[in-house]
Amino acid sequence: MEAPSRQDVERQLRLVLASTEFAASPKLSELLYYLVTETLAGNSERLKGYTIGVDVFDRQHDFDQGVDAIVRVQMGRLRKLLKNYYDGSGASDPIRVILVTGRYAPRFELANGEELSDEALGDPYSTQPAFVPPPERPAQAGFAGHLAGSRASLLAIALALLLAAIVGAGAFYYLGPKAGTGVTAKRLNGPLVYVARYQVIGKDELTTQLAEGLQYDLVNQLAKFPDIAVLGIDTAGGTGTKEAKPQDADFVLGGVIEGKSGSLRITSQLKQASDGHIIWSGQTTANNVRPKTIISVQADTAANVASKIGQTYGVIFQANAQQVAAKADPGLEDDRCVLNAYAYIRHKTPETHLRVRSCLEKAVENSPKYATAWALLSWIYGDEERDGFNKLPGEDGRRRSLRAAERAVAADSNSATAHSYLSAARFLLGDDDGGAREAAETAIKLSPDDSEVLAGAAFNLAMLDGSERARKLALKAISLNPGGPAWYWGGLAIHALQNGLKADALKYARLNVSDRGPLEVYLMAGALRLNGRDREADTELASLYRTHPEARNRAHMMQILRVPPRLELLIFSAPRGT
């Protein structure tokens, strides 16, 4: 039987963090990542309540764990979440991460209960690169084959789990409605949402007024998400002659409003139109409501509900992804392609890049007005340069990236996704930073609560100027979508590095790690060096050179990734050529 290694434990960590159990718990994910990686690096003796409080939970250096129980409480929650994971989606995993009560350093076991000692795992990362991406390999006998099978099974449920929790930046795939029109645009792909009028309980005049206005505001808010189509108040298909009905849609949003003596309770529910199954329910309350304030209650409620269900990785996305995965319908092939592209963005490999690029090129050939497919193809082309994946001979991938993004905007000028990817393509090319900013602002204006749009803008702005606006946009993206992909933290990591914020730089650089691509490693190296951990920074870079040989060309990578000179100097600790 092939002996497991530290890299096998890393793979297991990635499986855990990509699970549905952990996707909605970013702070516990950060804590588990910290505990496991510090242990694998040979630093288990550093894992004390004090250091965890400071490094993970942002406590000050006078932190007293006898007074502040944050570490003890969160460790208890993490143990419970790990148990839920291994009782659920991780039941067949070959390695178990065990957190014993009373100690912080995790223990690693095989599924049969055999403990993996330090000696069995090999040397720590002083001599082995950290988080090396696993190679694509066929199933084989022994431990490695078992682990490869676990990863294969994870990918096999991609369009249910990958598309629900581990998927990168998904949504639903339409040409896109005109924001605020109350009617649907031509339906190309993905789900359709019918917004019903909320029922009123009681005779309070305010509840009746709110029920009427809330339906309109919900239609308007949902229509701002570029890849969701919404059935209007009294029309279907935009003809103005046919009354919209719930059965015309894939999902139905409605609810109940209760009012008494100036207090309101608003219950919202999202159902699958096919069977009436409730897939989400939420409730908000408002007190001391007066006629002058009812409009703000209406607007806030609509924005909150729309963000919850329409957000990238939102409720509708998860339900729709499971439906697409379950159907063997050739007509959904373009949808599957787009979903796989989002999955690739979250967990990149050269092999997946090649498949997704080919698939997206077919999708836009089949549907030239498919703005989301064009936008994603723009990103895929850009990764030929950013990550060195599957470069095509001839024209620079950055030029093709820009053209694809421009096609996305031409396909749907009201798509925030299209403008967001146009901003990324302009930033990558590097000759129109003003245009990159303009496209980002347009995307934000079109969809101000779209976490994907906000995180993308934050990333580029942080790299361009390290501004406070970049930090605020990133924080808003994460607050709207705490289960989003690791790259959402990139803007915060860059902002912290640009502004010399040591603790934040290290924390956010860790959270930004996903596939150990060049930029992720550069940010981690910079954060380590900012904190005086030069040896670990050098180890990070050495690991990168093994997995991405093209990264040895420092000048080329700094140009491609648009790394500012000050940040470059921090990453490498010395000017070029020294």
Side-chain angles (χ1 to χ4, degrees), residues 55-96:
D55 289 352
V56 179
F57 297 106
D58 305 319
R59 293 311 192 251
Q60 300 301 313
H61 290 287
D62 59 355
F63 169 56
D64 182 353
Q65 54 185 319
V67 176
D68 186 343
I70 181 69
V71 175
R72 177 176 56 80
V73 170
Q74 295 296 339
M75 284 294 295
R77 291 175 177 170
L78 180 57
R79 290 187 187 98
K80 182 177 180 180
L81 190 59
L82 265 178
K83 183 180 184 301
N84 291 342
Y85 169 74
Y86 284 115
D87 286 344
S89 61
S92 62
D93 287 2
I95 291 178
R96 305 294 173 100

Side-chain angles (χ1 to χ4, degrees), residues 234-312:
D234 54 10
T235 62
T239 64
T241 61
K242 177 186 176 184
E243 182 181 358
K245 295 181 175 63
Q247 57 265 35
D248 296 323
D250 300 296
F251 300 94
V252 178
L253 173 65
V256 174
I257 302 173
E258 302 171 79
K260 185 177 181 181
S261 303
S263 295
L264 294 174
R265 182 168 65 182
I266 307 164
T267 303
S268 302
Q269 292 183 336
L270 185 72
K271 301 179 182 180
Q272 292 185 149
S274 60
D275 57 13
H277 177 64
I278 297 173
I279 59 174
W280 174 82
S281 182
Q283 194 172 81
T284 57
T285 58
N287 298 314
N288 300 317
V289 179
R290 303 182 302 277
K292 290 184 178 180
T293 61
I294 192 68
I295 294 298
S296 63
V297 172
Q298 172 182 309
D300 291 345
T301 301
N304 181 58
V305 171
S307 180
K308 285 285 196 309
I309 67 172
Q311 194 61 252
T312 307

Side-chain angles (χ1 to χ4, degrees), residues 294-516:
I294 192 68
I295 294 298
S296 63
V297 172
Q298 172 182 309
D300 291 345
T301 301
N304 181 58
V305 171
S307 180
K308 285 285 196 309
I309 67 172
Q311 194 61 252
T312 307
Y313 323 103
V315 179
I316 299 176
F317 170 70
Q318 297 184 32
N320 185 62
Q322 293 172 6
Q323 293 176 3
V324 171
K327 295 177 182 177
D329 184 352
L332 294 176
E333 197 57 40
D334 290 349
D335 288 1
R336 292 190 185 94
C337 179
V338 167
L339 290 169
N340 279 314
Y342 279 125
Y344 156 79
I345 289 175
R346 185 161 186 168
H347 297 287
K348 297 181 180 181
T349 69
E351 295 79 10
T352 308
H353 175 273
L354 187 62
R355 291 195 298 270
V356 168
R357 184 176 66 189
S358 174
C359 183
L360 284 174
E361 287 174 339
K362 291 177 183 177
V364 296
E365 183 179 354
N366 295 335
S367 304
K369 291 292 188 179
Y370 199 166
T372 302
W374 277 114
L376 288 166
L377 184 58
S378 168
W379 188 266
I380 297 296
Y381 285 152
D383 277 355
E384 294 176 24
E385 305 300 329
R386 279 184 292 257
D387 294 287
F389 288 165
N390 305 301
K391 288 188 178 183
L392 294 173
E395 188 178 30
D396 189 311
R398 292 174 294 177
R399 293 286 178 187
R400 282 182 282 115
S401 174
L402 179 60
R403 282 206 307 276
E406 289 171 342
R407 288 293 300 270
V409 172
D412 185 2
S413 61
N414 288 289
S415 168
T417 298
H419 287 280
S420 180
Y421 280 85
L422 177 61
S423 174
R426 286 173 172 171
F427 173 80
L428 178 65
L429 193 57
D431 61 2
D432 187 10
D433 287 344
R437 291 177 186 270
E438 180 183 8
E441 295 298 340
T442 299
I444 294 171
K445 183 177 180 180
L446 285 168
S447 193
D449 292 322
D450 188 323
S451 62
E452 197 79 359
V453 166
L454 297 172
F459 193 98
N460 292 342
L461 291 176
M463 197 70 88
L464 287 171
D465 56 25
S467 65
E468 179 65 12
R469 175 165 165 73
R471 187 184 74 87
K472 289 181 177 179
L473 288 173
L475 288 173
K476 182 178 179 181
I478 292 165
S479 68
L480 287 169
N481 196 353
W487 72 264
Y488 277 23
W489 299 93
L492 290 171
I494 296 166
H495 171 270
L497 287 167
Q498 292 269 59
N499 291 278
L501 306 175
K502 295 182 180 181
D504 282 352
L506 193 56
K507 177 177 72 173
Y508 295 137
R510 282 175 173 152
L511 288 168
N512 182 58
V513 170
S514 175
D515 294 300
R516 307 286 302 175

